[in-house]
């Protein structure tokens, strides 16, 4: 099950286990159960003084196993094998159950412990989903910390009947007490905030009480992180308000074109961005969505109002809110989202194994998605509006070589159809003949590019006809003291390396703006004299 190198690494991690606990397996006669027994036996053998193994469990879900600390009533169970992307989740669960402290802020731990009620979470994941580990790890930790929280992690491939019965067509999918709680990537802070109804008001009051910043960055993707590092290195007070640190990078599977980093994946890269930013003491405010920008009055501060009611103030602001997946905006898309309409082939592709799917979009993202899906599903139909595919030639050639792919160019998607709450087809119009066609299928993956997250800036910052923030060569906007960088701007070529460079440039421009701002020089009591910094340097 585990090779020798992985066993050696796991043994090193398990040395951190401080408290005894037991693994209790509920097994059947399946191949997955045999693999589970082998995996658990290996784990137990690597730390036999602290970990014991029982195979007499009687849980209804088989095969599964629970982690139970001696004398505790916590309830964490894995149904199916937590390997692939979820092996890290298993290792962390072993360490946390064994008393190793998690790398989570203490106030978050305190909030989890304070939750009162009966919380029975079921989270469905796939082993190829790179969005799932965050949710699995968050809910696992919550079950370990608070005995009133029960978490079961379910590998969808091992429990296909459940997946079908509950109509799960996207992962991660979370149920709370039998009802849908949420889907897609969620951080532990987001989950706690949904459960603790008073958290938003308390957080707003805490943010509003913060002292003004020299540089406030709105958005925590590559542009925002780079801006924060460059600003903090100047020794000035720097803050980052972000919905989720890393932004769209979190949803990227493979990154192979960031110079000096040969290969990594999105979640690892996002974590590295945050770690680098925190290393410089930047005040990071996660789960914060900006709602309004208020330019400064003469001699005053710029204000950013947040969706939770908080107001942050700063001498300068850098906008790096990035972009999000563009919707195709046809009937059926919103109705069948997560019921056959999906946006991440890497995460949700395995749920369509042996089924018919379509990909809307003929750029690099669309063609790559079609190639990936072709290895899993029965058939892929690619729909492209233009009269030819826009992806790189090497990708197009690969796509055309696949026997289970059909390509329609010059085709306009007109509707995503469905029945009984699930997708059952896609309609498109041949733009040359105006004839409409229906493609019977079970899944549609939308891959038609990005739209900037700038709606909240309308009426303040000058935007292009595409909604991008208009910037000059220094990242300056039309508002003094307000800069912008990354995918939300008019800078061409939306790439991670370009966003990071533009974020650095915006921070340097903001610092240049700050040193040229008037300051109050020493003067007799009751007298203030404004003197440019350059004149007293």
């Amino acid at each position: 099950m585990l090779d020798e190198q992985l066993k050696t690494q796991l043994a090193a991690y398990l040395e951190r286990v401080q408290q005894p606990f037991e693994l209790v397996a509920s097994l059947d006669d399946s191949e997955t159960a045999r693999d589970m027994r082998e995996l658990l036996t290996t784990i137990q053998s690597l730390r036999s003084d602290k970990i014991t193994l029982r195979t007499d469990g009687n849980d209804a879900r088989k095969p599964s196993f629970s982690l139970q600390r001696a004398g505790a009533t916590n309830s964490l169970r894995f149904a199916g094998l937590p390997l692939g992307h979820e092996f890290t989740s298993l290792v962390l669960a072993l360490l946390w159950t064994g008393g190793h402290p998690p790398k989570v802020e203490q106030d978050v731990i305190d909030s989890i412990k304070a939750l009162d009620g009966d919380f029975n979470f079921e989270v469905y994941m796939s082993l190829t989903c790179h969005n799932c580990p965050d949710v699995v790890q968050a809910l696992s930790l919550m079950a370990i910390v608070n005995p009133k929280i029960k978490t079961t992690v379910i590998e969808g491939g091992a429990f296909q009947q459940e997946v079908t019965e509950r109509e799960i067509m996207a992962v991660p999918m979370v149920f709370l007490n039998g009802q849908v709680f949420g889907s897609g990537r969620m951080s532990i802070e987001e989950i706690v905030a949904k459960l603790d109804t008073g958290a938003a008001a308390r957080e707003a009051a805490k943010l509003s009480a913060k002292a003004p910043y020299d540089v406030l960055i709105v958005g925590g993707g590559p542009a925002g992180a780079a801006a924060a590092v460059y600003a903090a290195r100047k020794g000035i007070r720097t803050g980052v308000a972000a919905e989720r640190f890393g932004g769209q990078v979190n949803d990227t599977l493979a990154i192979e074109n960031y110079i000096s980093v040969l290969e990594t994946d999105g979640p690892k890269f996002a974590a590295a961005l945050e770690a680098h930013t925190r290393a410089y003491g930047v005040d990071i405010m996660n789960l914060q969505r900006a709602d309004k920008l208020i330019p400064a009055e003469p001699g005053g501060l710029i204000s950013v109002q947040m969706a939770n009611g908080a107001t942050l103030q700063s001498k300068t602001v850098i906008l790096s809110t990035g972009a999000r997946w563009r919707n195709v905006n046809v009937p059926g898309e919103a109705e069948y989202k997560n019921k056959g309409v999906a946006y991440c082939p890497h995460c949700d592709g395995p749920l369509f194994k042996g089924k018919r799917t379509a990909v809307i979009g003929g750029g690099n993202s669309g063609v790559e998605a079609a190639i990936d899906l072709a290895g899993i599903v029965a058939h892929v139909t690619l729909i492209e509006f233009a009269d030819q595919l826009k992806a790189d030639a090497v990708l197009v050639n690969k796509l055309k070589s696949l026997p289970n792919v059909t390509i329609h160019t010059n085709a306009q998607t007109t509707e995503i159809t469905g029945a009984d709450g699930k997708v059952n087809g896609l309609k498109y119009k041949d733009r040359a003949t105006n004839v409409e066609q229906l493609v019977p299928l079970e899944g549609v993956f939308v891959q038609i590019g990005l739209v900037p997250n700038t709606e909240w800036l309308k009426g303040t910052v000058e935007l292009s006809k595409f909604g991008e923030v208009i910037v000059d060569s220094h990242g300056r906007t039309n508002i003094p003291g307000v800069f912008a960088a990354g995918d939300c701007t008019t800078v061409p070529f939306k790439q991670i390396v370009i966003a990071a460079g533009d974020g650095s440039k915006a921070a340097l421009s903001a610092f240049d703006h700050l040193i040229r701002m008037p300051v109050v020089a020493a003067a007799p009591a009751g007298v203030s004299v404004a003197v440019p910094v350059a004149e007293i340097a």
Side-chain angles (χ1 to χ4, degrees), residues 27 30 55 121 124 130 143 171 184 215 236 251 300 322 341 347 391 401 421 433 500:
L27 304 175
S30 66
T55 57
F121 285 103
Y124 289 83
H130 60 280
V171 288
V215 177
I236 56 181
D251 302 324
V341 175
C347 300
S401 73
T433 64

Side-chain angles (χ1 to χ4, degrees), residues 20-253:
F21 66 91
E22 61 181 5
L23 303 169
V24 182
S26 300
L27 304 175
D28 53 20
D29 296 328
S30 66
E31 182 179 349
T32 301
R34 291 192 291 273
D35 289 339
M36 181 176 290
R37 182 190 294 267
E38 180 183 345
L39 173 63
L40 298 180
T41 300
T42 299
I43 292 171
Q44 190 274 332
S45 68
L46 295 174
R47 197 70 162 94
S48 58
D49 60 324
K50 296 291 185 182
I51 303 174
T52 56
L53 172 62
R54 287 171 38 202
T55 57
D56 58 348
N58 59 359
D59 191 79
R61 280 194 182 95
K62 296 182 174 69
S64 67
F65 66 94
S66 64
L67 293 79
Q68 297 180 1
R69 186 184 298 164
T73 58
N74 60 295
S75 180
L76 171 61
R77 177 173 296 275
F78 288 89
L81 286 169
L83 299 176
H85 284 299
E86 294 301 341
F87 186 68
T88 298
S89 300
L90 171 60
V91 173
L92 289 173
L94 294 168
L95 295 181
W96 294 335
T97 303
H100 185 72
K103 293 183 179 179
V104 176
E105 297 294 331
Q106 186 58 45
D107 60 344
V108 175
I109 298 294
D110 293 341
S111 296
I112 296 171
K113 290 180 177 179
L115 291 173
D116 190 19
D118 293 318
F119 305 100
N120 183 4
F121 285 103
E122 298 166 293
V123 52
Y124 289 83
M125 56 80 173
S126 75
L127 301 183
T128 59
C129 171
H130 60 280
N131 285 327
C132 294
D134 279 358
V135 180
V136 170
Q137 291 163 25
L139 293 174
S140 297
L141 179 59
M142 291 174 66
I144 293 169
V145 168
N146 187 334
K148 296 180 180 179
I149 298 174
K150 177 181 179 181
T151 295
T152 303
V153 180
I154 305 160
E155 197 275 293
F159 292 87
Q160 283 288 344
Q161 185 174 346
E162 281 191 42
V163 168
T164 301
E165 290 174 352
R166 302 184 89 163
E167 298 183 347
I168 297 168
M169 305 185 76
V171 288
M173 179 68 72
V174 180
F175 291 81
L176 172 59
N177 298 334
Q179 302 298 315
V180 173
F181 176 78
S183 64
R185 181 188 293 273
M186 291 180 284
S187 68
I188 193 168
E189 293 87 355
E190 289 176 288
I191 296 170
V192 172
K194 288 184 71 172
L195 298 173
D196 184 355
T197 55
R202 294 196 302 272
E203 181 68 9
K206 185 170 73 173
L207 293 183
S208 295
K210 288 180 178 288
Y213 297 94
D214 293 309
V215 177
L216 174 63
I217 298 147
V218 183
V229 169
Y230 265 73
R233 284 173 59 87
K234 294 294 185 182
I236 56 181
R237 177 167 163 75
T238 305
V240 176
E243 286 195 63
R244 57 169 181 163
F245 213 94
Q248 280 286 327
V249 166
N250 286 292
D251 302 324
T252 303
L253 185 61

Side-chain angles (χ1 to χ4, degrees), residues 333-453:
E333 179 182 23
E335 180 180 357
Y336 297 112
K337 184 177 181 181
N338 294 331
K339 295 296 182 181
V341 175
Y343 299 84
C344 180
H346 306 297
C347 300
D348 301 331
L351 299 176
F352 294 87
K353 183 177 181 180
K355 298 180 180 180
R356 301 163 297 179
T357 64
V359 173
I360 302 175
N364 280 350
S365 296
V367 172
E368 287 174 352
I371 292 171
D372 288 344
L373 289 168
I376 302 171
V377 304
H379 190 271
V380 180
T381 300
L382 187 140
I383 307 293
E384 166 55 36
F385 183 85
D387 58 5
Q388 61 183 350
L389 300 181
K390 297 170 288 186
D392 296 340
V394 64
L395 295 174
V396 173
N397 291 337
K398 172 65 176 177
L399 182 70
K400 290 181 177 179
S401 73
L402 300 175
N404 61 336
V405 173
T406 301
I407 301 170
H408 295 294
T409 56
N410 210 24
Q412 179 181 356
T413 303
T414 57
E415 183 181 358
I416 297 171
T417 63
D420 300 323
K422 296 185 291 185
V423 166
N424 68 4
L426 177 146
K427 290 182 180 180
Y428 73 90
K429 182 176 67 176
D430 186 316
R431 296 176 61 221
T433 64
N434 283 329
V435 174
E436 191 171 65
Q437 304 285 347
L438 172 65
V439 182
L441 44 72
E442 289 74 42
V444 177
F445 289 82
V446 180
Q447 300 280 292
I448 56 173
L450 302 171
V451 59
N453 297 316

Side-chain angles (χ1 to χ4, degrees), residues 210-214 237 301 312-315:
K210 288 180 178 288
Y213 297 94
D214 293 309
R237 177 167 163 75
L301 297 167
L312 299 172
Q313 293 188 311
S314 183
K315 296 176 183 176

Side-chain angles (χ1 to χ4, degrees), residues 490-503:
T490 50
V491 172
F493 310 118
K494 313 305 185 186
Q495 298 290 311
I496 294 173
V497 68
I498 293 174
D502 283 346

Side-chain angles (χ1 to χ4, degrees), residues 315-344:
K315 296 176 183 176
T316 62
V317 168
I318 297 175
L319 306 171
S320 58
T321 48
R324 62 187 182 276
W325 290 114
R326 186 183 299 275
N327 293 323
V328 69
N329 292 323
V330 297
E333 179 182 23
E335 180 180 357
Y336 297 112
K337 184 177 181 181
N338 294 331
K339 295 296 182 181
V341 175
Y343 299 84
C344 180

